[in-house]
Amino acid sequence: MPAILLTNDDGYGTPGLRALQVALEPLGDVTVVAPDRERSSASHALTLHRPLRMRKQASRQFTVDGTPTDCIYLGVVHPHDRKPDLIVSGINRGLNVGDDITYSGTVAAAFEGALLGVPSFAVSRDVGQGEDYSAAAELAAEIARQVLSGGLPRDTILNLNVPATPPRGIRVTRQGKRIYTQSVDERRDPRGGTYYWIGGQPTSTTSGPDSDLAAVLEGFAALTPLKLDLTDDRTLELISLWPLLADARASG
Ligand SMILES: [Mg+2]
């Protein structure tokens, strides 16, 4: 049986993670290592400046007082565990499309898996229509079967986003763009100090028709391949022509 490691960024015990676990248990030996509290928007943070505590919650289920990336690191590198054959992160409450990806602890956990050499993918479901994650979990199981048999190219992950309504199918997509309102809510605490709530709501999209968000808005699940190498080839060529780099070109 393959070893499958699960995590998320919404925290241990959340319904998305539970649904994922139930769907993947027929495919392998499932271990859960998840944050002990909500760590959404933790991105790819790694805890290096304080100790981490890992607590056993049930058979093969652990919480960590750290980030989703900490959970994957412990789950893969921990000396007492066998290295997983597959990592799945989710099912996140809310989409991770467009620029959301750079904030997402769910997606970062999959990237950490890829960095550690394990085929990995992330799963997110749109909010709304209650908390029924069964359709997203079934799709995740299909993707898991495929990745377990065929693997993934090194340093890439898959990002699966599922609409809240039962998906009409699945599309292979590109990372799109979602525009948020920009908001800073300034308030006073009881002692007269100022505090802030930051972050707005999604308003519009500049995504093309082949984007992750367009697919989900049309009722399809979106499957996007993402890579760790963030180099932009077009800009690499452009900045190579900058005058300040003329000497480097001449000596190059
Ligand atoms: Mg989350």
Side-chain angles (χ1 to χ4, degrees):
M1 287 280 265
I4 303 174
L5 175 63
L6 306 186
T7 196
N8 72 349
D9 74 1
D10 296 337
Y12 180 80
T14 44
L17 178 59
R18 181 69 197 141
L20 187 64
Q21 186 186 347
V22 169
L24 295 191
E25 256 159 5
L27 306 188
D29 295 327
V30 173
T31 300
V32 174
V33 183
D36 64 357
R37 69 201 75 179
E38 162 113 36
R39 297 307 304 261
S40 293
S41 304
S43 190
H44 205 163
L46 194 59
T47 303
L48 297 176
H49 303 292
R50 64 168 176 84
L52 287 167
R53 304 283 178 184
M54 193 173 183
R55 292 195 170 81
K56 186 171 184 177
Q57 302 293 335
S59 174
R60 310 168 82 97
Q61 297 188 48
F62 304 87
T63 55
V64 175
D65 61 346
T67 65
T69 297
D70 296 330
C71 293
I72 292 302
Y73 200 93
L74 279 167
V76 174
V77 184
H78 193 288
H80 303 306
D81 283 333
R82 139 186 182 218
K83 190 170 180 176
D85 301 292
L86 172 71
I87 289 171
V88 188
S89 177
I91 299 168
N92 187 62
R93 186 179 179 280
L95 297 176
N96 277 306
V97 294
D99 302 318
D100 304 342
I101 289 166
T102 60
Y103 301 101
S104 169
T106 306
V107 175
F111 271 130
E112 186 64 19
L115 274 172
L116 296 171
V118 181
S120 302
F121 70 94
V123 193
S124 306
R125 175 197 181 267
D126 205 357
V127 291
Q129 310 278 327
E131 296 269 333
D132 182 1
Y133 289 88
S134 55
E138 274 171 41
L139 269 181
E142 284 181 37
I143 306 284
R145 260 186 221 101
Q146 174 65 43
V147 173
L148 280 170
S149 67
L152 282 174
R154 205 174 165 79
D155 292 340
T156 66
I157 65 162
L158 299 177
N159 185 32
L160 176 67
N161 280 281
V162 183
T165 50
R168 295 165 61 193
I170 184 163
R171 281 188 190 162
V172 175
T173 50
R174 306 182 63 84
Q175 179 182 351
K177 187 132 189 108
R178 181 150 76 156
I179 314 273
Y180 283 80
T181 57
Q182 292 167 356
S183 161
V184 175
D185 188 356
E186 182 177 307
R187 303 189 187 190
R188 296 260 170 220
D189 69 31
R191 296 187 179 87
T194 306
Y195 68 97
Y196 302 93
W197 285 101
I198 63 169
Q201 295 297 317
T203 56
S204 61
T205 168
T206 56
S207 297
D210 57 351
S211 73
D212 46 13
L213 186 55
V216 172
L217 290 176
E218 288 172 37
F220 289 86
L223 186 64
T224 310
L226 300 173
K227 56 183 181 176
L228 275 161
D229 181 352
L230 302 176
T231 311
D232 184 71
D233 288 322
R234 244 180 357 176
T235 310
L236 186 135
E237 283 175 31
L238 183 74
I239 63 175
S240 299
L241 300 173
W242 283 2
L244 70 94
L245 296 170
D247 288 348
R249 281 199 302 278
S251 65

